[in-house]
Amino acid sequence: MQVFAIAAAGIADASSRFAASAERTARDPLADLTGETVERIGAEVALKANVSVLKTADQMYGSLLDILA
């Protein structure tokens, strides 16, 4: 279903945001340390939220299949 594709896209986006922030910090550690830390925390929260959506959707589909079986 669409929920899996949307959550997967969210996970990919959060991962790329985290990686980009880490790369910027590696290039110039003191340029915007606070902003980059906030960006990485935001990316981590987004990743966890999308994983939670995947788990919930999987459980819902499992329950639906149990009902239909």
Side-chain angles (χ1 to χ4, degrees):
M1 270 322 254
Q2 242 181 352
V3 68
F4 292 108
I6 292 169
I11 289 170
D13 179 61
S15 294
S16 67
R17 284 176 41 206
F18 191 93
S21 176
E23 185 177 318
R24 288 190 298 269
T25 301
R27 274 193 307 245
D28 191 3
L30 300 177
D32 186 18
L33 187 58
T34 305
E36 295 300 340
T37 301
V38 170
E39 175 65 17
R40 285 192 298 277
I41 291 170
E44 179 184 3
V45 169
L47 181 96
K48 287 179 180 179
N50 281 293
V51 167
S52 182
V53 167
L54 279 177
K55 287 180 181 178
T56 302
D58 184 53
Q59 290 172 350
M60 289 175 63
Y61 282 114
S63 296
L64 179 61
L65 289 174
D66 289 343
I67 291 169
L68 294 175

